[in-house]
Every structure is written in C-alpha cells, then in structure tokens.
Amino acid sequence: MTSTFPNVSISTERLVLRPLDEDDVAALAAMMNDEQVAAWTSVPQPFTEDGARTWITEYAPAERTEGRGLDFAVTEFLTQRLVGVIQLGKTNWRVRSTELSYIIAPWARGEGYASEAALVTARWLFSDQKFERVELRTAADNTASQQVAQKIGCISEGVLRNACIARSRAEDGTWTDVRTDFIVWSLLPEDLEGVGGRLPGGFTSFGDWN
C-alpha cells in the first residue's frame, strides 16, 4: 500500500500553507513567468494559465495520491494573496525522507516568506509525519536559495557536479540552457534546535480538506 501525505493546511502568524485550488490559476501563472523562476527551475516558458490549471487539478493531486509528494500554496494570512509554492517530492516512505523546494513570487521576496514556509513545513514533517530527513538542492549560483537553506538550519553535504540545468536569457529574448552544479543540503530533526529563536516557529495544522 502506497503511503501518502494528508491533504492539510498549516498556518503561522503570517502565512497559511494549503492545497492549491483553481482560484490560484492566474496568480500561479504570473509567478511562474517571472525571470528568476524561469532561470532556476524547469518550468515551461511562457507558463500559461492552462498550464497552471493542469498543475492544480492534475499534477499536484496525482503527486499526493500516488505517494510521491505534496504541493502547498503559500498565502498571506491576512490578505490570502498567493505568496509562493512549497513542493515536496521524491519522497521515500521507508527512509522517511523527502526533497523540499520553494518558489516565491517576485513581489513577496525579501520578506522572509521562503524561510518561514520552508521551516514550518519541515517542522510539520518531523513532528506530525515522523520524517527523519528533508533534502534541498540549490543551483550553485542561486545564492538566494542557498541563504534560505542556511537560515532554516540546513547542512551542506556536498556538490553534484554538472547535475543542474539553469537557464539564461539571450539578447533576443530566448532562453538558453546553462549547465551548472547542484549543492545538496539536508535537514534533520536535531538541526532545528536553536532555529526557533531566529524565525517564526509555531504552527497549527488542520485536518483533511475535501
């Protein structure tokens, strides 16, 4: 029997992490068309609203029900505006490990939302889901993503050489693939000791959503 993540919502003082829904289509498409997202992810460009709808109604539900991972919409608690996305993937239920990634909308950067959302997700994984390892991979030149990993207490484990394909925009506006390295980070339950004083820590999780 395949293990799966519950369909939950998690909240902090500033954020609510919840399942993606069709009301997120326009905001998700706009976020995925940002140049930084295009540079550091494999998201198709341009990213259409049809693509966002497929992600929300087909891809994300399949990832959860088939046991591979879980996608969270990250929203502001007060405005309910879509701040970003947290993804869990490549989940190994026997080892109790999963890979975590994050994308933040350009208007919301610089507010600490990525680290807050990543940290509350990790705490939920370790406490509620009894996971033992969270893994992150950041492109070698993506310093902003690396700062998030360091801020939440991740330990750098090494480099996967030539394992990442980033993208660079050419003068004619087209995107060109650029091969680079992945830095591998890990987070274990004991790594979170002492992090609580630096970042918003408490969270509340709510039961299965329909």
Side-chain angles (χ1 to χ4, degrees):
M1 181 178 177
T2 301
S3 296
T4 60
F5 288 113
N7 212 20
V8 299
S9 172
I10 306 170
S11 66
T12 70
E13 290 183 2
R14 299 195 301 170
L15 301 174
V16 176
L17 281 65
R18 58 161 175 77
L20 288 159
D21 63 44
E22 290 198 61
D23 289 341
D24 298 319
V25 165
L28 183 62
M31 180 169 62
M32 293 299 138
N33 281 306
D34 173 67
E35 290 222 357
Q36 290 298 312
V37 175
W40 299 118
T41 74
S42 59
V43 172
Q45 294 296 321
F47 193 79
T48 66
E49 290 196 2
D50 284 343
R53 188 172 290 104
T54 298
W55 180 350
I56 291 167
T57 62
E58 298 179 22
Y59 173 79
E63 285 291 288
R64 189 185 77 83
T65 58
E66 295 175 19
R68 292 187 294 270
L70 184 66
D71 289 12
F72 280 121
V74 182
T75 63
E76 285 186 320
F77 186 86
L78 293 178
T79 67
Q80 300 182 26
R81 189 176 182 185
L82 185 69
V83 167
V85 176
I86 290 281
Q87 286 189 291
L88 303 176
K90 302 177 183 176
T91 304
N92 186 319
W93 290 96
R94 183 171 183 272
V95 177
R96 307 300 287 187
S97 71
T98 191
E99 185 175 320
L100 185 150
S101 59
Y102 34 81
I103 297 173
I104 299 296
W107 64 267
R109 292 172 191 152
E111 300 295 329
Y113 285 149
S115 53
E116 184 173 339
L119 179 62
V120 74
T121 302
R123 284 186 167 144
W124 172 74
L125 285 166
F126 293 147
S127 61
D128 285 23
Q129 300 299 302
K130 309 305 179 187
F131 268 57
E132 296 293 337
R133 174 183 170 89
V134 173
E135 185 172 305
L136 288 77
R137 298 186 180 196
T138 63
D141 295 325
N142 191 349
T143 55
S145 186
Q146 292 163 31
Q147 288 170 357
V148 171
Q150 292 171 329
K151 195 172 183 180
I152 67 173
C154 291
I155 303 300
S156 175
E157 292 187 331
V159 176
L160 298 178
R161 297 184 300 162
N162 263 5
C164 174
I165 295 180
R167 288 184 284 202
S168 175
R169 189 184 284 279
E171 290 184 2
D172 63 0
T174 60
W175 289 96
T176 302
D177 287 348
V178 179
R179 186 171 288 276
T180 186
D181 300 337
F182 262 138
I183 300 175
V184 180
W185 307 80
S186 67
L187 190 66
L188 307 183
E190 56 266 32
D191 296 329
L192 294 184
E193 295 177 9
V195 175
R198 305 197 301 269
L199 290 170
F203 72 90
T204 302
S205 63
F206 301 92
D208 283 14
W209 286 35
N210 293 325

